Amino acid sequence: MEIREVFARNLKAARLAKGLSQEELAFRAEIDRTYISSLERSIYNASIDVVDRLAAILEVEASDLLKRSPDKK
C-alpha cells in the first residue's frame, strides 16, 4: 500500500473517531473541504505542514497519520 493510501485511511479514521465532518475538519484547518475529500481518496499528496496541522486538530501525532497497519504492508 502506498503511503498516500495509508495517510488517507488514517486521516479518515482519525476524523471519524473525533466525530468531525470533512467540512468541520477543513474549517478548523483553514483549508478547503474538497481538499480533505481529495486527501481521503488518495487524490492529492499532503505537504508535511498540512499533515502536522491536521494531526494537531485531530489530537494525534503526525506520525500516527503515516503509520502503516501491521497487517497492511
Side-chain angles (χ1 to χ4, degrees):
M1 179 181 302
E2 293 184 19
I3 193 66
R4 196 175 358 176
E5 295 170 308
V6 170
F7 175 72
R9 286 181 185 215
N10 291 341
L11 174 61
K12 185 173 184 177
R15 176 179 63 77
L16 293 174
K18 291 297 280 184
L20 296 175
S21 66
Q22 288 179 344
E23 289 87 356
E24 183 61 24
L25 179 57
F27 175 77
R28 292 182 187 188
E30 299 180 348
I31 56 179
D32 194 83
R33 188 219 43 94
T34 60
Y35 187 61
I36 297 291
S37 174
S38 294
L39 290 175
E40 289 186 358
R41 291 181 293 128
S42 302
I43 305 291
Y44 294 140
N45 293 317
S47 71
I48 195 71
D49 293 327
V50 168
V51 172
D52 187 54
R53 190 177 336 162
L54 292 171
I57 292 162
L58 295 168
E59 299 177 322
V60 298
E61 293 294 324
S63 61
D64 292 338
L65 294 176
L66 301 170
K67 216 174 268 182
R68 296 182 195 276
S69 299
D71 60 335
K72 309 229 186 219
K73 296 193 178 193

